């Protein structure tokens, strides 16, 4: 570690402050970026919509309800141009949260830079491009793991020479914590991912051995910081220490500069609550401390969620409030005038050492399974996360883990921020999807069809050959190929993947006390219900659309199993038609749908309608997720039996409802 | 849900109407006494599709059975056969609940009327097959050209799939040394087809395949491999992921059906039905029932005769049950 505890004479440069943003159209998002920069934000962080992330054009059936919702749709070079209109790319530092289609979005970015007359060597920014955590948490993967790693390695190999200031991969532990990971799991799984990636790059032969230090130096991380901020701060120091060791021992990197653990942060969002949501801003600030206080392990870039995280998408004001928190910490306080304030602390040293030990052990365990790819394919890692998340939820449900406003200190004055709940979030106009569909049709008509075909053929050929995906992708970008076409070409060659869900084998420890009594009570009611029905009550749990938020569905499925349901777990990315076909074929007594991405008004009524057509209208349908109050009423009016949101954190209560629903529909 | 007339239901099943198949399976799983008559009536009316084949996929956890089932179903559909899939899941907890996770691994076209997938929990049954699995297979056999049954199990844990399938495929992945040991040591029944899946692992898969072939040869040397002499157990390499080797697997299934012949198939099914009838009886009246009825061999003989005369298992076991109760009543045994 570099500093020696002496007081620094000069103020340090603050970290890069970003706001994760993008919605509706390239044009609308471009305006948003320009206002954000004017407010003092120092880097861009692009949120793409789910079709763009999963490689579909706006007019694909799976894109229904998702176009422009949770991010900006970028379907071709025209959209990318619009997104960065009047934003000179040689002066931007752009972080793109893009994974399966990362090579493609980077290709579009490079093509637009060339349009603007900017040398690609000057481009600065990050493509997230970590597919391992997509299988484990985020859900926007397309191809099988080994093929995905190869594509990531291609981007690394290409940028190291061609776009040397670019961070080709942001290895993510952020999403692991959001899926329930403990600090040690976060450390171990993310570092095992980095190892898997670097091993792939090294074995791929695209970069020479003496370039490996530069390659290692380009790998950055995207980390989480939860509410236990002392432990989290120690985690950052543990990361720094472990990465320094791994890069030295495993990859022989001598230059300490290339061994630095460079990381950006989004602080924890999983713990942000729907109840008393104004408290969230306090949680966010405390979490920010974890990644800023220790100079030796300070984040390079920080983005914060907003106080209304659990309600829906943030409005500009909500994001601005979080940005102000960063600015106050960086510019008003004295934080940036000191050297590391924890060096020499026994408490910190000890905590870090323990974490390093435990994480090293876990990394060894993963390596013993072959590699991170095998640990993905076997479902091992995913199952561990599902189990950790179950423990977390259980601790909250039983009050062992205090969450203010949720399981303690519930009484209080009403928040003025919440007087109009429906307008306390940003909503995307319903015309956006139709507009995008019309626009892409026009785009396809106006481009040179032959050039597109040729570019796609060359892309397919290159991927089949095992060549680097970037050059043909850049050519395809310039020829006017669309995101859906690029991804389809690769799907044809590499195949598609459905990742293990981790729920089937997940073990959850049985507790004791009141909550366990409730569980026993539910089991007894289930036994009675079984006698009545003649067979075990059976439940279908699935997620229609492109939404990858699987936590809720997983935990509902596990809990339902543990109170005695037979649960058919469908996982993510199924169509309403598939859900209904499954419900019919499996003979379930209740259909459970989970949607958090905001497409519930488009997708849920389709399930209801198709269930009616299939003759299973009597099977109750329940829905959970981020569902604004007025939407919940609409769904209930359209035939949904119950709607749940994050405030319904007591799984036992939900289970009680389900038992009752099945019971009353059996009596009907 | 309305209680359909068994005869009408049987007709709709023969037409492979999904709603009818689903309804029949719901009925089959129904353990209430009052439903038994309807179940019997339905099963009595079902006629399996001419020339249909029941394929069992078994093997250790995680070998790729579900993925392979999906690939196999797709290939069969492409060849024009309709397919019914039964995925039997062993995962059950002491709550009686179960997580049926196989379906999530298969992606199917929901509009395809020629493909039907049902998951079944073993609900505490040992032997790898659920109580209702035989009857479910009967229903699917009446609706589809091929029925694929996926179940987990290997080695000493007995796999009941042999009692429902005409052709049993053992699916393993490269590096499953224990399976090889079981086969060598004769602990494990030899299946009809050995499949080394995850063939995309390359050399590792090829090595596993040749090890298995070697082990089989050794067993043949001491007369311990195949039961009949017109079938040589093949060792296939597939990749369910990349969908390679699947066409060869289907060809092999066809070849096994041909080698088995209609009579061989009938005989194997009859043995399976005998076993099932016996286990239905045991489930209801236990060892005591067997004893009162004259012991296992005696009872198996009666079952076999009744089945040969055209009765269905569930009816035969009900008959035997009544006989048992009569005997107990008249003899006044405890
Ligand atoms: C964790 C999280 C993630 C994780 C997801 C990990 C995972 N595998 O699930 C990660 C980091 C990967 C993630 C990513 C994204 N996220 Co996110 N995420 C969240 C967050 C913080 C918590 C969700 C959660 O897991 N809660 C815990 C579970 C247990 O609760 P739950 O799902 O609500 O379920 C409870 C009830 O709702 C109910 N329930 C839910 N489902 C069901 C089903 C049935 C049958 C029943 C009975 C009950 C039920 O019971 C549960 C028990 O309490 C929310 C905000 C928030 N605090 O809620 C945002 C949020 C859902 N995310 C959001 C967005 C936009 C995204 C992204 C799309 C961003 C982007 N542009 O890329 C990505 C992409 C994800 C994708 N592929 O779809 C938005 C959605 C906005 C909207 N609806 O308009 C939210 C609301 C944040 C925000 N305010 O902007 N996210
Ligand atoms: N590389 C590779 N992986 C495969 C192949 N087939 C299946 N898998 C992977 O192996 C894992 C297990 O596959 P499943 O199909 O669930 O295996 P299973 O035998 O049905 O598992 P259980 O039902 O849990 O016993 C998954 O991660 C699959 O993606 C294959 O041919 N090649
Ligand atoms: Mg399986």
């Amino acid at each position: 570690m570099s500093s020696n505890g002496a007081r620094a004479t000069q103020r340090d440069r603050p970290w890069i402050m970003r706001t994760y943003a993008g919605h509706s159209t390239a044009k609308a998002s471009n305006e948003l970026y320009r206002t954000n920069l004017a407010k003092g934000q120092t880097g861009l962080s692009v949120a793409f919509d789910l079709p763009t992330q999963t490689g579909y054009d706006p007019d694909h059936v799976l894109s229904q309800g998702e176009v422009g919702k949770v991010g900006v749709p970028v379907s071709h070079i025209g959209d990318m141009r619009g997104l960065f209109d009047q934003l000179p790319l040689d002066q931007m530092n752009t972080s793109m949260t893009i994974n399966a289609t990362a090579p493609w979005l980077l290709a579009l970015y490079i093509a637009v830079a060339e349009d603007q007359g900017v040398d690609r060597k000057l481009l600065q920014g990050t493509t997230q491009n970590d597919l391992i955590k997509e299988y484990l948490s985020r859900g926007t993967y397309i191809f099988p793991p080994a093929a995905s790693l190869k594509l990531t390695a291609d981007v690394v190999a290409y940028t190291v020479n061609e776009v040397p200031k670019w961070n080709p991969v942001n290895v993510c532990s952020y999403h692991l914590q959001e899926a329930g990971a403990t600090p040690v799991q976060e450390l171990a799984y993310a570092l095992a991912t980095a190892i898997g990636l670097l091993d792939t790059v090294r074995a791929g032969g695209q970069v020479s051995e003496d370039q490996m230090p530069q390659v290692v130096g380009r790998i950055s991380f995207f980390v989480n910081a939860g509410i236990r901020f002392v432990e989290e701060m120690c985690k950052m120091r543990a990361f720094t220490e472990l990465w320094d060791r791994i890069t030295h021992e495993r990859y022989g990197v001598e230059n300490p500069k290339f061994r630095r653990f460079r990381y950006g942060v989004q602080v924890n969002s999983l713990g942000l609550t729907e109840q008393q949501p104004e408290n969230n801003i306090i949680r966010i600030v405390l979490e920010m401390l974890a990644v800023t206080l220790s100079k030796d392990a300070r984040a390079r870039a920080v983005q914060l969620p907003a106080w209304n995280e659990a309600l829906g998408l943030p409005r500009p004001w909500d994001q601005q409030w979080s940005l102000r928190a960063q600015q106050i910490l960086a510019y008003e306080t004295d934080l940036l005038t000191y050297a590391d304030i924890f060096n020499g602390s026994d408490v910190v040293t000890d905590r870090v050492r323990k974490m390093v030990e435990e994480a090293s052990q876990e990394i060894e365990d993963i390596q013993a399974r072959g590699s991170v790819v095998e640990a993905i394919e076997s479902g091992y890692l995913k199952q561990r996360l599902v189990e950790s998340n179950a423990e977390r939820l259980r601790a909250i449900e039983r009050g062992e883990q205090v969450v203010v406003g949720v399981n303690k200190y519930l009484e209080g004055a009403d928040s003025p921020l919440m007087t109009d709940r429906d307008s306390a979030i940003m909503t995307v106009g319903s015309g956006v999807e139709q507009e995008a569909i019309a626009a892409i049709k026009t785009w396809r008509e106006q481009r040179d069809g032959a050039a597109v075909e040729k570019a796609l053929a060359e892309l397919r050929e290159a991927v089949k050959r095992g060549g680097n995906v970037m050059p043909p992708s850049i050519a395809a970008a310039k020829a006017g190929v669309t995101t859906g076409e690029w991804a389809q070409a690769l799907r044809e060659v590499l195949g598609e993947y459905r990742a293990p869900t981790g729920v089937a084998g997940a073990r959850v420890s049985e507790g004791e006390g009141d909550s366990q009594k409730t569980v026993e009570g539910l089991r007894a009611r289930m036994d009675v219900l079984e006698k009545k029905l003649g067979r075990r009550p059976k439940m279908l749990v699935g997620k229609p659309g492109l939404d990858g938020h699987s936590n809720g569905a997983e935990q509902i499925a596990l809990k339902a199993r543990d109170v005695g349901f037979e649960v058919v777990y469908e996982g993510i990315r199924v169509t309403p038609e598939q859900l209904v076909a499954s419900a019919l074929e499996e003979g379930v007594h209740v259909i459970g749908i989970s949607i958090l991405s905001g497409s519930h008004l488009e997708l849920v009524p389709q399930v209801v309608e198709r269930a009616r057509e299939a003759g299973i209208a009597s099977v109750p349908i329940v829905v959970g997720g981020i569902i604004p109050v007025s939407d919940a009423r609409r769904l209930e009016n359209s035939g949904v039996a119950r709607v749940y949101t994050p405030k319904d954190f007591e799984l036992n209560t939900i289970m009680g409802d389900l038992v009752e629903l099945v019971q009353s529909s059996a009596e009907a | 849900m309305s209680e359909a007339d068994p005869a009408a239901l049987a007709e709709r099943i023969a037409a492979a109407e999904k709603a009818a198949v689903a309804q029949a399976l719901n009925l089959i799983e129904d353990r209430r006494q009052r439903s038994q008559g309807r179940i019997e009536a339905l099963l009595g009316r079902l006629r399996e599709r001419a020339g249909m084949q029941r394929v069992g996929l078994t093997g250790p956890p995680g070998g790729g059975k579900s993925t392979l089932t999906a690939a196999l179903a797709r290939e069969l559909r492409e060849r024009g056969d309709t397919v019914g899939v039964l995925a039997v899941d062993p995962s059950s907890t002491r709550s009686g609940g179960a997580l049926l996770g196989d379906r999530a691994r298969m992606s199917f076209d929901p509009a395809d009327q020629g493909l039907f997938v049902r998951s079944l929990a073993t609900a505490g049954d040992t032997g790898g097959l659920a109580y209702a699995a035989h009857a479910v297979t009967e229903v699917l056999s009446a609706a589809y050209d091929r029925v694929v049954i996926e179940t987990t199990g290997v080695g000493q844990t007995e796999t009941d799939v042999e009692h429902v399938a005409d052709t049993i495929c053992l699916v393993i992945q490269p590096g499953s040394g224990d399976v090889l040991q079981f086969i060598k040591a004769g602990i494990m029944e030899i299946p009809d087809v050995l499949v080394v899946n995850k063939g995309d692992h390359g050399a590792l898969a090829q090595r596993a395949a040749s090890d298995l072939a070697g082990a089989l040869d050794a067993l043949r040397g001491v007369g311990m491999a195949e039961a009949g002499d017109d079938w040589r157990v093949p060792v296939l390499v597939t990749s369910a992921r990349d969908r390679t080797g699947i066409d060869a697997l289907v060809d092999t299934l066809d070849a096994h059906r041909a080698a088995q012949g209609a009579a061989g198939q009938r005989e194997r099914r009859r043995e399976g039905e005998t076993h099932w009838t016996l286990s239905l009886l045991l489930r209801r009246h236990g060892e005591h029932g067997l004893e009162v009825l004259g012991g296992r061999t005696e009872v198996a003989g009666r079952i076999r005769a009744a089945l040969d005369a055209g009765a269905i298992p569930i009816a035969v076991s009900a008959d035997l049950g009544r006989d048992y109760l009569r005997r107990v009543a008249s003899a006044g045994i405890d």
Side-chain angles (χ1 to χ4, degrees):
Chain A
M1 292 197 183
S2 58
S3 7
N4 54 17
R7 183 167 172 163
T9 47
Q10 254 193 332
R11 258 186 109 79
D12 283 323
R13 214 156 41 116
W15 53 90
I16 296 173
M17 300 180 194
R18 303 188 204 268
T19 308
Y20 188 38
H23 65 88
S24 304
T25 60
K27 190 165 178 295
S29 302
N30 172 264
E31 280 160 20
L32 181 65
Y33 296 163
R34 285 193 277 141
T35 356
N36 284 350
L37 289 168
K39 286 178 186 167
Q41 176 184 310
T42 50
L44 290 178
S45 174
V46 182
F48 293 98
D49 72 355
L50 290 173
T52 305
Q53 296 190 48
T54 48
Y56 296 109
D57 285 336
D59 53 352
H60 192 279
V61 322
L62 278 170
S63 300
Q64 274 179 66
E66 305 280 13
V67 178
K69 273 267 163 67
V70 296
V72 57
V74 173
S75 303
H76 46 68
I77 190 171
D79 286 343
M80 197 60 129
R81 263 184 216 125
L83 191 62
F84 291 99
D85 183 35
Q86 298 174 55
L87 296 171
L89 294 190
D90 50 349
Q91 289 162 43
M92 290 296 126
N93 186 315
T94 309
S95 164
M96 295 194 256
T97 301
I98 197 73
N99 294 279
T101 53
W104 172 242
L105 273 299
L106 179 59
L108 290 171
Y109 194 78
I110 291 172
V112 167
E114 288 181 5
D115 266 10
Q116 291 187 355
V118 170
D119 184 353
R120 60 176 79 152
K121 297 233 154 33
L122 300 177
L123 296 179
Q124 285 193 64
T126 307
T127 32
Q128 194 167 77
N129 205 14
D130 164 9
L131 272 298
I132 297 300
K133 65 87 175 58
E134 294 295 326
Y135 303 114
L136 291 178
S137 166
R138 205 167 164 281
T140 69
Y141 56 84
I142 305 176
F143 317 111
S148 291
L149 268 189
K150 162 71 168 70
L151 291 176
T152 308
D154 282 356
V155 176
V156 173
Y158 179 83
T159 53
V160 89
N161 291 315
E162 295 295 317
V163 200
K165 292 182 171 174
W166 196 261
N167 297 311
V169 186
N170 226 353
V171 175
C172 297
S173 79
Y174 167 77
H175 310 81
L176 305 178
Q177 182 174 132
E178 295 295 303
T182 62
V184 169
Q185 286 175 331
E186 231 192 289
L187 283 162
Y189 299 1
L191 292 170
T193 299
I195 291 172
L197 171 67
L198 285 172
D199 285 359
T200 307
V201 173
R202 185 156 66 175
Q206 292 195 65
V207 295
S208 60
E209 191 61 37
D210 47 311
Q211 259 187 324
M212 272 314 276
Q214 269 103 295
V215 169
V216 170
R218 286 326 302 164
I219 304 298
S220 55
F221 290 78
F222 184 55
V223 179
N224 207 324
I227 192 71
R228 293 166 56 84
F229 74 95
V230 178
E231 183 173 55
E232 292 292 71
M233 190 276 296
C234 294
K235 180 185 77 188
M236 304 307 161
R237 291 169 73 96
F239 257 130
T240 305
E241 216 175 295
L242 280 162
W243 187 237
D244 185 74
R245 190 198 296 168
I246 292 167
T247 49
H248 194 228
E249 288 172 4
R250 194 175 180 99
Y251 302 105
V253 179
E254 293 300 335
N255 185 344
K257 197 181 90 191
F258 293 138
R259 300 206 305 262
R260 284 211 57 180
F261 182 74
R262 299 182 307 126
Y263 75 99
V265 174
Q266 153 106 5
V267 306
N268 182 289
S269 322
L270 183 62
L272 302 181
T273 62
E274 180 180 356
Q275 300 90 323
Q276 302 184 13
E278 63 280 2
N279 299 343
N280 291 330
I281 199 73
I282 299 155
R283 297 191 176 99
I284 291 165
V285 170
L286 293 172
E287 290 165 350
M288 171 171 57
L289 296 181
V291 295
T292 50
L293 287 185
S294 169
K295 179 177 175 176
D296 288 350
R298 185 171 291 150
R300 294 294 180 103
V302 176
Q303 63 189 29
L304 301 178
W307 70 278
N308 53 355
E309 170 77 12
L311 305 178
L313 291 169
R315 299 160 301 181
W317 179 82
D318 308 317
Q319 294 199 315
Q320 177 185 305
W321 198 16
S322 294
L323 175 64
R324 295 296 184 240
Q326 293 203 50
Q327 291 167 334
I328 290 168
L329 179 66
Y331 301 110
E332 290 190 17
T333 77
D334 57 349
L335 177 67
L336 292 179
T337 59
Y338 292 101
D340 196 286
I341 55 179
F342 298 104
N343 282 344
S345 154
D346 292 343
V347 175
V348 170
T349 308
D350 196 52
R351 191 75 195 89
V352 172
R353 186 182 49 78
K354 270 197 75 187
M355 278 189 182
V356 165
E357 276 169 13
E358 287 173 28
S360 305
Q361 184 57 51
E362 185 67 47
I363 294 172
E364 269 173 41
D365 287 353
I366 295 169
Q367 296 306 122
R369 287 167 188 273
S371 74
V372 73
V373 168
E374 263 104 62
I376 293 291
E377 288 182 335
S378 67
Y380 167 75
L381 293 178
K382 179 65 183 167
Q383 183 175 322
R384 298 289 307 274
L385 290 179
V386 170
E387 289 168 350
S388 295
N389 209 6
E391 293 299 333
R392 192 187 72 87
L393 287 180
R394 235 166 46 112
I396 296 173
E397 185 164 0
R398 294 148 139 230
E400 292 160 6
Q401 179 176 331
V402 172
V403 184
V404 172
V406 172
N407 59 13
K408 217 165 181 171
Y409 310 118
L410 309 189
E411 297 306 315
D414 290 339
S415 161
L417 285 173
M418 293 288 286
T419 39
D420 179 5
R421 279 197 61 152
D422 281 336
S423 61
I425 53 170
M426 186 194 72
T427 40
V428 171
S430 57
V432 163
E433 187 159 322
Q434 288 317 312
E435 250 173 66
I437 292 175
I440 195 144
K441 296 215 157 111
T442 315
W443 178 265
R444 288 199 202 104
E445 277 157 21
Q446 289 176 351
R447 63 191 184 174
D448 175 353
V452 166
E453 284 314 315
K454 183 165 166 287
L456 283 171
E458 281 167 11
L459 173 67
R460 254 184 243 114
E461 206 29 61
V463 176
K464 214 175 280 171
R465 239 191 7 252
N468 192 302
V469 72
M470 286 306 297
S473 297
I474 296 171
K478 292 178 181 164
V481 163
T482 67
T483 300
E485 291 163 346
W486 180 88
Q488 183 53 32
L490 266 66
R491 282 185 167 96
E492 283 161 23
V493 182
L494 303 173
E496 281 187 78
Y497 189 66
R498 281 183 79 72
T501 61
V503 293
R507 282 176 298 273
V508 187
S509 55
E510 298 264 286
E512 41 203 58
D514 285 353
S515 138
Q516 187 57 25
K517 278 200 203 100
T518 315
V519 170
E520 305 289 350
L522 284 165
R523 287 179 183 166
R525 282 171 69 194
M526 288 289 286
D527 290 343
V528 174
L529 193 51
E530 175 178 19
K531 292 233 162 60
K532 187 181 181 107
L533 296 168
R535 60 188 172 109
R536 269 272 130 193
K538 199 171 183 182
M539 177 177 190
L540 178 75
V541 178
K543 291 180 59 65
L546 293 176
D547 179 21
H549 291 93
S550 56
N551 288 341
E554 288 158 4
Q555 297 303 325
I556 292 289
L558 274 191
K559 188 75 192 193
R561 175 195 73 184
D562 289 342
V563 302
F565 275 99
E566 282 182 0
V567 182
V568 179
Y569 184 67
E570 282 267 67
I572 63 168
R573 277 200 256 168
V574 288
T575 61
E577 197 182 2
Q578 274 167 330
L579 269 180
V580 171
S582 296
L584 173 73
E585 293 177 21
E586 296 289 355
V588 298
H589 299 99
V590 53
I591 300 174
I593 301 174
S594 184
I595 302 184
L596 282 81
S597 68
S599 52
H600 48 272
L601 287 182
E602 284 83 0
L603 297 175
V604 174
Q606 286 189 43
V607 177
V608 175
E609 180 55 24
R610 284 182 183 276
R612 202 182 49 73
E613 286 167 13
I616 50 170
S618 60
V619 178
I621 297 176
V622 297
V623 178
I626 302 294
I627 319 276
V629 194
S630 53
D631 290 1
R633 295 295 90 78
R634 283 172 71 177
L635 292 180
E636 281 162 358
N637 290 336
S638 77
V640 168
R642 294 270 195 291
V643 175
Y644 298 98
T645 64
K647 69 173 183 324
D648 302 302
F649 69 102
E650 288 165 319
L651 296 178
N652 283 340
T653 309
I654 297 181
M655 292 302 133
D657 287 358
L658 296 183
V659 174
E660 206 175 286
L661 267 178
V662 174
Q663 206 161 349
S664 49
S665 80
E667 278 156 10
Chain B
M1 272 171 232
S2 64
E3 303 204 336
D5 159 44
L9 199 55
E11 251 172 62
R12 288 165 59 208
I13 291 169
E17 199 188 304
K18 273 194 180 183
V21 175
Q23 212 176 338
L25 298 184
N26 296 347
L27 175 63
I28 293 291
E29 285 191 55
D30 191 337
R31 300 190 190 200
R32 282 174 301 183
Q33 194 52 43
R34 69 174 183 86
S35 302
Q36 299 315 304
R38 291 176 60 234
I39 295 178
E40 213 177 300
L42 173 67
L43 289 175
R45 282 179 173 80
L46 292 177
R47 292 289 163 268
E48 65 201 22
R49 289 179 69 80
M52 70 81 49
Q53 183 184 28
R54 302 168 179 182
V55 180
L57 295 188
T58 186
K65 298 177 295 296
S66 298
T67 317
L68 189 60
T69 300
L72 184 60
R74 189 186 292 227
E75 175 71 21
L76 289 167
R77 290 299 292 129
E78 276 167 15
R79 294 196 188 188
D81 278 3
T82 58
V83 183
V85 173
L86 172 60
V88 182
D89 219 302
S91 57
S92 64
T93 62
R94 63 192 184 86
S95 67
L99 234 156
L100 305 165
D102 289 321
R103 194 178 188 104
R105 308 222 48 91
M106 311 178 184
S107 55
F108 294 124
D109 173 7
D112 184 353
Q113 293 304 312
L115 180 63
F116 190 103
V117 182
R118 177 83 164 202
S119 317
L120 206 58
T122 52
D125 286 357
T126 52
L129 262 200
Y131 154 75
H134 283 82
V136 170
T137 306
E138 295 287 333
V139 173
L140 294 177
S141 300
Y144 303 105
D145 300 326
R146 310 246 194 177
V147 173
V148 181
I149 303 134
E150 180 199 337
T151 169
T152 299
V154 78
Q156 286 108 327
T157 45
E158 183 201 351
T159 58
D160 271 353
V161 71
E162 65 190 273
H163 302 300
V164 284
D166 306 325
T167 304
I168 298 161
C169 307
L170 177 69
V171 183
I172 63 164
Q173 55 182 330
S176 311
D178 46 347
V179 175
L180 192 64
Q181 294 314 318
F182 289 152
I183 289 180
K184 278 186 178 158
I187 293 173
M188 201 172 80
E189 288 275 347
I190 311 268
D192 302 304
V193 180
L194 271 161
V195 180
V196 178
N197 187 43
K198 308 198 182 180
D200 45 272
H201 285 316
L204 211 58
Q206 294 304 335
R207 177 137 34 85
S210 57
D211 284 353
L212 275 173
L216 280 178
D217 276 341
L219 287 172
R220 278 186 197 107
V222 294
M224 275 181 59
E226 295 85 357
D229 35 11
D230 38 7
W231 181 251
R232 242 182 106 79
V233 175
V235 180
L236 302 182
V237 177
T238 59
S239 168
R241 188 192 78 188
D242 299 348
R243 277 194 251 128
T244 56
I246 312 296
D247 49 347
L249 177 57
V250 174
D251 290 344
T252 304
L253 296 177
D254 288 345
H256 185 251
R257 175 163 57 185
Q260 190 173 45
Q265 191 189 60
R266 211 174 309 119
E267 178 53 27
R268 194 185 278 201
R269 285 187 189 170
R270 186 57 37 90
E271 278 171 25
E273 285 167 0
T274 307
H275 181 270
W276 179 32
T277 313
L278 202 59
S279 59
L280 285 175
L281 187 70
L282 273 169
R283 168 182 282 272
R284 230 177 143 65
H285 304 293
E287 289 293 338
H288 188 243
L290 270 191
E291 206 178 292
V292 171
L293 289 168
R296 188 177 286 261
T297 322
E298 162 80 17
V299 174
R302 277 182 70 184
I303 292 175
R304 181 68 200 227
L307 292 174
D308 284 344
I312 61 167
I314 192 165
V316 175
S317 105
D319 272 349
L320 285 167
R322 277 188 289 272
D323 188 14
Y324 160 71
L325 293 176
R326 252 194 321 272
R327 289 189 195 198
V328 173
S330 63
I333 329 176
D334 48 38

